[in-house]
Amino acid sequence: MPIFRYTFKKMLLTPSTWIILVMTVAFLALFNSLPLTSLGSDVISSFSAEGVLIFYLPIWKMSVFQIFLGLILFIFIAVKATQVFRDEIDDGTLLILVSKPVSRTKIWTEKLLSLQTMILLFIFLSIFISGIFIAIPGIGSGAIYSKMFPYMWILFGVGIIFDLIVSSIAILLSLVMNAKAIIAIMIGFAALLQILSSLIMNQIAAPTNEYMQASQAAAVYSTAKSKLNASDLTWLDSYIADGTTNTKKLITDDLTAIYTEYINGVNYPTDYNYKLEQEFVTKIAKGEIPPTGSINLDLTKHILAVANVFRQWNQQSFNQLLTGERVGPLPTGGSSNAGQNKVDYSVKDMIDGLTETITQKEYEVSNSQLLKTKVLRYLNIFYHLGYIWDGISTPDGGRFIDSGKYTSNYDPYLFSWKKNANGEYQVDTSKKADSKIISFTADLTVYLIIGLILFASSWFVFNRKDFA
């Protein structure tokens, strides 16, 4: 493949390749390291694997999207795409090449393959060389690096998707425009991506807070329905209908009795021991040890089943997961993780959302705002690129994040309202709420198809263009 080797070698030896790579590694290393160095070595050394996901992962995701996917990758692809076709068109090299007894399709294919190889090598080196800084003692740790390593591979995969979309545009432009115009257009596109995919644009037509709260509750309830058996779901529905007051007390009393009977030396609920708590609740619920005192066996079974649907980190207490009431020491020093019992979303939060009611006027306003949000989602191609990254890298679709974060992302799960006996609207729990305005799968598929169409278009233009 002489054309491939020639083109790849030309790009590899170009100073711009190494300048951009070194700058990219430096910037990514800086943005990877800053959130960790701001914490101090003592905090980093005590970071659990779950703590990495709670604190560091969201910051990392935002920085790599804004710095790497949304800016540097655009610039690198634009610069390299001009070297594949445009530079050779301008200096007459391509005219000589197409006059040789070699098919234009072969020329186009080998040059395209050389460009893609260069871009993939750039993405790989940028991510994994800069990622090493996370493992350096004093900046991060090996434990943090090992937890983030799978997400680096996810970033590499998303980089390939971005490459397909962006390089297909850049190659097509390189056949009809000069290098300066191509780079200017791609940088402008990257700038618009930063602006138009931001929360500022989303806030122009955001769903109402009432819709967002009810949407999250409906999505979580749909998840619970799919994971619970009929008995546990019936109990959960009775908890919702109860309005939480009586059931909350029964849950707290049952768990207090378990501590009293089986877990000595722990001043519950001022303090708690999540390992022993989970051990004895599980053993009692599974019949491995008989319940004593005022422990309710059936209630303990329901507590175990429902809490495990909501559980994100193994340190979370059953009581706080189900009732929303604080268990363990209060936060100190500005930390929300004191006592390791950080519960983002509890059963009580879900019940509040499911039982929330709105008036007819609020219902009409909510529908109007949701329609505007849908239109903005469908038309904002810049938002879609960020959505592809977030959709791949966010576990559980964000259903169980805290309500403040869910509400501020303006990306609700869709659900149905129903009218109650008072003529007000609330969540219709009989219908599913597991899809969003933009389907991640559909969004990804559409953009992959668009990328392939643009590649085919560049092949068509290349085969018919008169390079003289």
Side-chain angles (χ1 to χ4, degrees):
M1 302 172 70
I3 298 173
F4 169 86
R5 289 195 298 269
Y6 166 78
T7 307
F8 182 79
K9 183 178 179 181
K10 182 179 68 172
M11 289 188 290
L12 187 64
L13 297 178
T14 303
S16 62
T17 300
W18 298 98
I19 292 172
I20 297 175
L21 177 61
V22 171
M23 291 179 62
T24 302
V25 171
F27 275 117
L28 288 181
L30 178 64
F31 282 94
N32 286 345
S33 305
L34 280 177
L36 296 173
T37 54
S38 65
L39 293 175
S41 57
D42 292 341
V43 177
I44 291 173
S45 63
S46 64
F47 243 9
S48 65
E50 293 161 345
V52 174
L53 298 180
I54 293 172
F55 172 78
Y56 183 67
L57 179 60
I59 298 173
W60 180 83
K61 282 172 52 182
M62 182 181 298
S63 65
V64 296
F65 176 76
Q66 293 178 339
I67 301 300
F68 183 62
L69 295 176
L71 180 61
I72 296 175
L73 192 56
F74 275 78
I75 296 173
F76 183 80
I77 291 174
V79 172
K80 296 299 110 180
T82 61
Q83 294 174 1
V84 173
F85 290 117
R86 175 45 54 185
D87 288 354
E88 294 186 4
I89 293 174
D90 292 341
D91 63 19
T93 306
L94 196 57
L95 177 60
I96 298 173
L97 184 59
V98 296
S99 66
K100 301 291 183 181
V102 182
S103 71
R104 289 199 175 196
T105 297
K106 180 177 175 60
I107 295 171
W108 179 86
T109 301
E110 290 198 24
K111 284 188 167 293
L112 180 64
L113 185 59
S114 67
L115 174 64
Q116 296 306 316
T117 303
M118 173 57 66
I119 294 171
L120 293 184
L121 183 62
F122 170 79
I123 295 172
F124 181 85
L125 293 176
S126 297
I127 294 170
F128 290 99
I129 293 178
S130 63
I132 293 173
F133 284 79
I134 300 175
I136 298 175
I139 295 178
S141 69
I144 295 175
Y145 178 81
S146 63
K147 194 65 181 178
M148 292 299 300
F149 190 70
Y151 289 94
M152 294 179 196
W153 279 109
I154 292 173
L155 176 59
F156 180 70
V158 176
I160 295 174
I161 297 169
F162 270 61
D163 165 35
L164 175 62
I165 296 169
V166 178
S167 64
S168 62
I169 298 172
I171 290 171
L172 185 58
L173 291 177
S174 71
L175 294 171
V176 295
M177 293 182 178
N178 62 49
K180 291 182 180 178
I182 296 168
I183 294 173
I185 288 172
M186 297 303 287
I187 291 176
F189 192 86
L192 285 173
L193 173 63
Q194 300 296 324
I195 297 171
L196 298 181
S197 64
S198 68
L199 293 180
I200 295 174
M201 287 299 295
N202 294 336
Q203 290 173 357
I204 292 175
T208 61
N209 287 340
E210 292 81 9
Y211 187 92
M212 293 300 297
Q213 183 179 0
S215 164
Q216 185 179 18
V220 170
Y221 182 75
S222 291
T223 300
K225 285 177 68 175
S226 67
K227 294 182 177 181
L228 295 174
N229 62 35
S231 174
D232 292 321
L233 184 59
T234 298
W235 177 82
L236 180 60
D237 287 337
S238 70
Y239 186 10
I240 295 170
D242 166 57
T244 75
T245 304
N246 296 325
T247 308
K248 278 176 64 176
K249 185 177 185 305
L250 292 174
I251 292 169
T252 301
D253 289 348
D254 187 64
L255 290 166
T256 302
I258 291 174
Y259 268 86
T260 301
E261 295 292 330
Y262 297 105
I263 306 174
N264 299 319
V266 178
N267 185 23
Y268 185 81
T270 304
D271 202 358
Y272 76 112
N273 185 313
Y274 71 88
K275 292 180 180 179
L276 292 177
E277 180 178 297
Q278 290 176 36
E279 176 186 344
F280 285 104
V281 168
T282 302
K283 285 182 176 180
I284 293 169
K286 292 183 176 181
E288 295 177 6
I289 57 176
T292 58
S294 58
I295 297 172
N296 185 318
L297 177 59
D298 289 336
L299 178 58
T300 304
K301 290 180 179 179
H302 295 315
I303 289 172
L304 177 64
V306 175
N308 284 342
V309 171
F310 283 71
R311 185 177 301 283
Q312 289 178 285
W313 326 116
N314 57 24
Q315 294 96 333
Q316 294 171 332
S317 70
F318 287 100
N319 202 351
Q320 192 163 336
L321 276 168
L322 271 80
T323 69
E325 298 294 334
R326 179 75 198 182
V327 173
L330 292 172
T332 58
S335 170
S336 61
N337 297 321
Q340 299 180 308
N341 189 24
K342 185 178 188 298
V343 175
D344 291 320
Y345 199 78
S346 67
V347 178
K348 172 63 165 54
D349 294 322
M350 181 193 73
I351 293 173
D352 289 343
L354 293 178
T355 56
E356 177 185 27
T357 59
I358 60 174
T359 64
Q360 178 69 37
K361 184 176 180 179
E362 290 171 331
Y363 171 75
E364 292 170 358
V365 171
S366 177
N367 282 346
S368 175
Q369 286 297 107
L370 183 62
L371 178 60
K372 293 177 184 177
T373 305
K374 287 181 177 180
V375 171
L376 184 64
R377 290 286 187 273
Y378 294 144
L379 298 181
N380 189 351
I381 63 173
F382 305 96
Y383 168 82
H384 297 172
L385 296 178
Y387 195 80
I388 289 173
W389 164 231
D390 202 49
I392 290 177
S393 60
T394 303
D396 297 324
R399 285 180 178 87
F400 293 94
I401 63 174
D402 68 70
S403 298
K405 290 180 181 177
Y406 182 87
T407 302
S408 64
N409 70 17
Y410 309 107
D411 188 22
Y413 287 90
L414 301 178
F415 71 98
S416 299
W417 295 100
K418 66 177 180 180
K419 241 181 183 180
N420 60 23
N422 298 323
E424 295 176 318
Y425 291 87
Q426 66 186 83
V427 176
D428 186 350
T429 55
S430 66
K431 297 180 180 178
K432 278 190 174 184
D434 56 0
S435 62
K436 291 196 170 189
I437 294 172
I438 297 291
S439 164
F440 164 71
T441 304
D443 197 36
L444 179 58
T445 302
V446 166
Y447 276 89
L448 289 176
I449 292 173
I450 290 173
L452 293 174
I453 290 173
L454 290 171
F455 277 129
S457 300
S458 68
W459 171 84
F460 181 83
V461 172
F462 181 78
N463 273 274
R464 283 156 178 77
K465 185 175 179 62
D466 181 5
F467 295 106

